[in-house]
């Protein structure tokens, strides 16, 4: 990890101001002053000081967040659209969202500062299940749904087959379907519904891997309890032991 990123990660200052501290000789690593802005540190081994005071990495934290509709899953937007950053700023530690939901989608997001865990959960090889409830009009053709599940459709040059696509209930003039996918392709659920001739009125993520939305309300953030955290860490350990992780990133935005 670059030194300026480490200082920002630890809450010392912004990356830009960290660069100034480094250039001024205010930062030392293992008792040696560092002025090289490209210098990299190992947070687990290196001892970093700013003005002689030790910099202590924050503990790893894990939260579930109900992203409300109308917010970008981003910490900054050059076009000044509303993002989820104000919700995250209320937390005691800097965190980031694991994966994305598009502006008009809502529901479960995992927030953490554990980059290794996030990389595993988002890696396409591991096919972590995402489950959504989607409000649709008109009612979708059952035979077309069956064909979609068995034959799939191509999205971004990849054959996609939902793991589950079933009608939950009718809500007034709309039909609510439960859809489970494993690819994390941008807007794949919306594209499936469009392929079936439907229009999405609401899209709610209710599950991500072992985590469930449960009774969270829009905008609410809750730390994982001991049971939830244990299940998440065990789930990730099982993924790590099942396949070799190569460098990649998910462009998920459903």
């Amino acid at each position: 990890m670059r030194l300026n990123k480490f200082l920002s990660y630890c809450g010392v200052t912004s990356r830009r101001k960290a660069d100034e501290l480094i250039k001024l000789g205010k930062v030392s690593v293992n008792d040696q002053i560092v002025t090289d802005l490209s210098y990299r540190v190992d947070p687990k081994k290196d001892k970093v000081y700013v003005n002689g005071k030790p910099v202590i990495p924050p503990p790893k934290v894990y939260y579930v967040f109900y992203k409300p509709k109308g917010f970008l899953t981003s910490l900054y937007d050059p076009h000044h659209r509303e993002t989820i950053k104000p919700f995250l700023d209320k937390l005691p530690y800097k965190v980031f969202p694991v994966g994305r939901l598009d502006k008009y989608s809502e529901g479960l997001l995992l927030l953490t500062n554990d980059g290794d865990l996030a990389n595993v959960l988002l890696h396409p090889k591991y096919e972590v299940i995402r489950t959504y409830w989607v409000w649709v009009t008109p009612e979708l053709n059952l035979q077309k749904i069956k064909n979609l599940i068995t034959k799939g459709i191509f999205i971004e040059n990849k054959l996609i087959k939902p793991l589950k696509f079933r009608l939950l209930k009718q809500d007034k003039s709309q039909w609510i379907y439960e859809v489970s996918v494993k690819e994390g392709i941008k807007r794949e659920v919306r594209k499936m519904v469009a392929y079936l001739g439907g229009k999405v009125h609401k899209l709610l993520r209710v599950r991500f891997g072992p985590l469930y939305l449960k009774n969270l309300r829009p905008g609410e953030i809750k730390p994982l309890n001991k049971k939830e955290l244990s299940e998440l860490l065990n789930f990730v350990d099982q993924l790590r032991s099942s396949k070799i992780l190569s460098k990649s990133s998910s462009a998920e935005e459903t």
Side-chain angles (χ1 to χ4, degrees):
M1 182 184 294
R2 285 178 66 117
L3 183 54
N4 63 351
K5 182 178 180 180
F6 175 77
L7 296 178
S8 175
Y9 169 72
C10 293
V12 175
T13 185
S14 67
R15 291 194 197 184
R16 181 177 296 179
K17 291 184 178 180
D19 284 341
E20 296 176 7
L21 291 173
I22 295 169
K23 287 189 290 186
L24 290 172
K26 303 288 186 180
V27 182
S28 64
V29 180
N30 301 327
D31 298 323
Q32 297 292 324
I33 292 176
V34 174
T35 57
D36 180 3
L37 297 181
S38 64
Y39 192 90
R40 302 183 70 85
V41 297
D42 183 339
K44 296 180 180 179
K45 298 179 181 179
D46 294 324
K47 295 181 179 180
V48 180
Y49 295 80
V50 174
N51 291 321
K53 296 181 180 180
V55 178
I56 309 298
K60 292 181 179 179
V61 293
Y62 310 86
Y63 301 89
V64 284
F65 171 46
Y66 186 139
K67 185 195 90 69
K69 180 180 179 180
F71 293 83
L72 297 178
T73 308
S74 174
L75 304 183
Y76 169 75
D77 181 66
H79 303 292
H80 307 292
R81 292 171 294 181
E82 288 187 301
T83 73
I84 63 170
K85 186 175 185 300
F87 297 98
L88 276 57
D89 286 344
K90 300 174 184 177
L91 299 174
Y93 301 102
K94 285 189 174 183
V95 296
F96 55 85
V98 180
R100 291 179 176 270
L101 290 170
D102 71 30
K103 180 178 179 180
Y104 299 105
S105 297
E106 56 191 283
L108 177 63
L109 280 174
L110 171 64
L111 306 175
T112 186
N113 55 6
D114 188 339
D116 292 337
L117 177 137
N119 287 337
V120 173
L121 290 173
L122 293 178
H123 198 284
K125 280 188 177 182
Y126 295 115
E127 300 181 334
V128 175
I129 295 174
R130 292 93 158 147
T131 298
Y132 303 85
W133 289 354
V134 53
W135 282 250
V136 175
T137 57
E139 182 178 8
L140 303 177
N141 181 277
L142 181 58
Q143 187 57 49
K144 287 185 177 180
I145 292 176
K146 290 180 179 179
N147 290 339
L148 174 64
I149 293 173
T150 57
K151 298 180 180 179
I153 59 170
F154 280 92
I155 299 177
E156 296 186 2
N157 298 317
K158 183 176 182 180
L159 181 63
I160 302 299
K161 296 179 181 180
L163 299 174
K164 180 190 295 182
F165 202 126
R166 68 186 183 97
L167 178 64
L168 288 179
K169 62 179 180 178
Q170 184 177 357
D171 181 17
K172 297 180 181 179
S173 61
Q174 297 179 8
W175 285 261
I176 304 175
Y177 292 86
E178 183 177 57
V179 185
S180 292
V181 295
K182 57 185 170 64
E183 293 84 8
I185 302 295
K186 286 184 178 180
R187 298 177 177 84
E188 62 181 312
V189 175
R190 294 182 182 276
K191 291 176 180 178
M192 287 180 189
V193 172
Y195 170 80
L196 294 170
K199 177 181 180 181
V200 174
H201 297 273
K202 179 179 178 179
L203 185 61
L204 173 70
R205 179 191 277 170
V206 296
R207 178 190 172 192
F208 178 65
L211 301 175
Y212 291 85
L213 186 63
K214 296 182 179 178
N215 59 350
L216 277 184
R217 295 170 295 181
E220 187 176 2
I221 298 176
K222 181 183 75 70
L224 298 189
N225 60 38
K226 289 183 179 180
K227 182 175 182 293
E228 291 168 334
L229 179 56
S230 176
E231 289 175 348
L232 176 63
L233 297 180
N234 288 337
F235 177 78
V236 171
D237 285 342
Q238 290 173 6
L239 293 179
R240 285 194 177 109
S241 64
S242 66
K243 296 178 182 178
I244 298 174
L245 177 64
S246 62
K247 292 184 179 180
S248 182
S249 62
S250 170
E252 170 191 83
E253 191 171 288
T254 304

